[in-house]
């Protein structure tokens, strides 16, 4: 039976696939009925609330086993990966190489480790996690803490998506909202100037491509 799903804030394809009992996100993304969606969202991991998806039928897996023996089946909990780069607040925004960090998600064991030599951290998280607390030690005595909203980044054709990426890159646009639109445009102009981009629009194609490249997605 054909079904439609309207994307909500914080949802991603892995979470949606799990909700409908599908084996993975590609079952949705590669469905022929979602061809227009694929054109609109070339990055399958960044969705916009309001996007509509066709949900294909579930094809159950069958396993043949002997009825004369006892069998054990293990279901692995689906996970995704949190990937981000830690940088300092200096004008050069140098990466925090090998910084110690602690990631805490409600209901999960805290994960403590270190970023790599370029400040990147990659941590497995449950696909249904929506919020995490990240603590990073700048020195043995000094630390900073952030609350992360997981899977809430929207595409760059959404104003909020540009706003979030600029904030993540250290360009202060303030809190999202209508009152911050002028601040976002001002910061986009500063971003263009820094990158040597000359475009009449604050978020033209060159600016969009550069912002996506600098942010990593």
């Amino acid at each position: 039976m054909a079904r439609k799903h309207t994307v909500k804030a914080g949802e991603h394809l892995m979470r949606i696939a799990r909700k409908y009992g599908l084996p993975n996100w590609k079952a949705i993304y590669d469905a022929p009925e979602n061809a227009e969606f694929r054109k609109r969202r070339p990055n399958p991991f960044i969705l916009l609330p309001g996007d509509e998806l066709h949900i294909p039928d579930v094809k159950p897996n069958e396993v043949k086993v002997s009825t004369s023996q006892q069998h054990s089946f293990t279901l692995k909990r689906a996970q995704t990966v949190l990937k981000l780069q830690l940088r300092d607040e200096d004008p050069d925004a140098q990466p925090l190489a090998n910084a110690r960090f602690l990631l805490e998600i409600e209901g999960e064991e805290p994960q403590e480790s270190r970023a790599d030599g370029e400040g990147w951290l990659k941590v497995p998280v449950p696909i249904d996690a929506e919020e995490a607390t990240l603590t990073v030690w700048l020195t043995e005595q000094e630390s900073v803490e952030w609350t992360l909203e997981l899977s809430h980044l929207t595409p760059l054709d959404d104003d909020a998506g540009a706003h979030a990426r600029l904030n993540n890159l250290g360009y202060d646009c303030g809190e999202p909202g209508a009152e911050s639109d002028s601040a976002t445009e001002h910061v986009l102009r500063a971003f263009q100037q820094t990158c040597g981009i000359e475009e009449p629009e604050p978020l033209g194609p060159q600016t969009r491509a550069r912002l996506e490249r600098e942010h990593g997605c």
Side-chain angles (χ1 to χ4, degrees):
M1 180 179 177
R3 291 170 289 181
K4 292 287 185 181
H5 179 87
T6 301
V7 175
K8 301 178 181 64
E11 286 189 322
H12 51 76
L13 285 178
M14 289 180 65
R15 184 179 296 171
I16 296 169
R18 183 185 183 190
K19 175 180 179 178
Y20 290 99
L22 294 164
N24 54 57
W25 62 270
K26 289 177 68 66
I28 298 175
Y29 194 70
D30 292 343
E33 295 86 351
N34 289 324
E36 287 301 318
F37 170 79
R38 288 195 297 275
K39 291 180 183 177
R40 199 166 62 253
R41 304 283 175 250
N43 186 335
F45 303 108
I46 300 180
L47 309 182
L48 181 67
D51 281 342
E52 288 197 349
L53 296 165
H54 168 84
I55 306 298
D57 293 333
V58 178
K59 297 179 180 179
N61 291 328
E62 295 183 357
V63 179
K64 294 182 179 180
V65 295
S66 172
T67 57
S68 60
Q69 299 177 1
Q70 184 175 355
H71 304 277
S72 296
F73 299 91
T74 302
L75 180 63
K76 292 183 178 180
R77 186 177 184 186
Q79 291 185 320
T80 185
V81 176
L82 171 66
K83 178 182 177 182
L84 57 85
Q85 187 183 37
L86 304 173
R87 299 183 181 182
D88 61 28
E89 294 183 343
D90 291 340
D92 293 336
Q94 295 299 312
L96 297 176
N98 306 309
R100 180 164 65 98
F101 69 85
L102 176 69
L103 185 73
E104 298 174 283
I105 298 174
E106 186 176 356
E108 300 291 318
E109 286 292 327
Q111 301 185 65
E112 185 171 357
S113 187
R114 288 187 179 272
D116 67 15
E118 296 183 348
W120 285 99
L121 63 86
K122 299 178 183 178
V123 186
V125 297
I127 63 170
D128 54 357
E130 295 189 15
E131 189 174 279
T133 301
L134 177 65
T135 304
V136 177
W137 279 264
L138 305 178
T139 68
E140 287 302 316
Q141 293 77 33
E142 182 185 4
S143 65
V144 290
E145 181 180 293
W146 295 276
T147 298
L148 308 180
E149 290 187 328
L150 306 179
S151 304
H152 281 258
L153 186 68
T154 57
L156 263 169
D157 58 5
D158 176 49
D159 288 343
H163 184 109
R165 285 169 176 81
L166 288 166
N167 273 340
N168 290 345
L169 288 171
Y171 294 87
D172 187 8
C173 296
E175 293 295 324
E179 68 279 359
S180 68
D181 289 348
S182 60
T184 301
E185 181 174 345
H186 177 75
V187 173
L188 279 168
R189 291 301 187 189
F191 178 79
Q192 288 175 331
Q193 185 174 7
T194 300
C195 299
I197 298 172
E198 296 183 3
E199 281 187 317
E201 301 175 26
L203 194 57
Q206 293 181 51
T207 306
R208 193 187 307 272
R210 184 63 179 267
L211 184 55
E212 184 174 25
R213 189 177 78 190
E214 293 292 329
H215 189 268
C217 60

